[in-house]
Amino acid sequence: MKRGLLLIDRGSREREASEELEIICDAIKAKRDYVFAEYCFLEVEPPYIEDGIEKCLKQDIDHLTIVPYFLYPGKKVKNAVTDVMKFQKDTKVKFVVTKPM
């Protein structure tokens, strides 16, 4: 099975936030548990969730693990993650949304 991973963060204009997510994704790819690891943002700056999902679905994967990178899942996060599932209906890729980190 070819698995991909998508981290969803709130978003920040601070470069350090993106750099941290890049480091996490690189570490995940280095372990080779996932053929693809990417991040996106709920708001503030791109890539937004739709962009992240579209990029993931262009990869050769069978399974996509979506991880909300939040301490607590507030209403915006819950709604956004629920909306993510609408992208699964037109693909054979299985989506699994984890609890927030």
Side-chain angles (χ1 to χ4, degrees), residues 13-59:
R13 288 186 174 79
E14 299 297 322
R15 179 65 191 142
E16 291 83 14
S18 296
E19 289 172 352
E20 178 180 312
L21 293 170
E22 288 173 15
I23 291 167
I24 292 169
C25 287
D26 288 344
I28 289 167
K29 287 185 266 189
K31 290 186 83 167
R32 301 199 181 272
D33 292 338
Y34 294 91
V35 296
F36 179 80
E38 190 58 60
Y39 64 89
C40 61
F41 299 108
L42 177 64
E43 55 191 8
V44 181
E45 69 173 350
Y48 298 112
I49 294 173
E50 294 82 10
D51 305 321
I53 293 289
E54 287 178 19
K55 189 172 184 178
C56 291
L57 293 178
K58 290 179 182 175
Q59 305 301 313

Side-chain angles (χ1 to χ4, degrees), residues 71-101:
L71 294 176
Y72 181 77
K75 185 176 181 178
K76 278 187 179 180
V77 174
K78 289 178 183 176
N79 290 340
V81 170
T82 300
D83 289 346
V84 162
M85 296 311 287
K86 71 182 177 190
F87 292 96
Q88 186 177 13
K89 69 178 180 174
D90 297 324
T91 182
K92 293 182 181 181
V93 176
K94 180 179 172 152
F95 286 20
V96 173
V97 180
T98 69
K99 291 184 178 184
M101 278 209 284

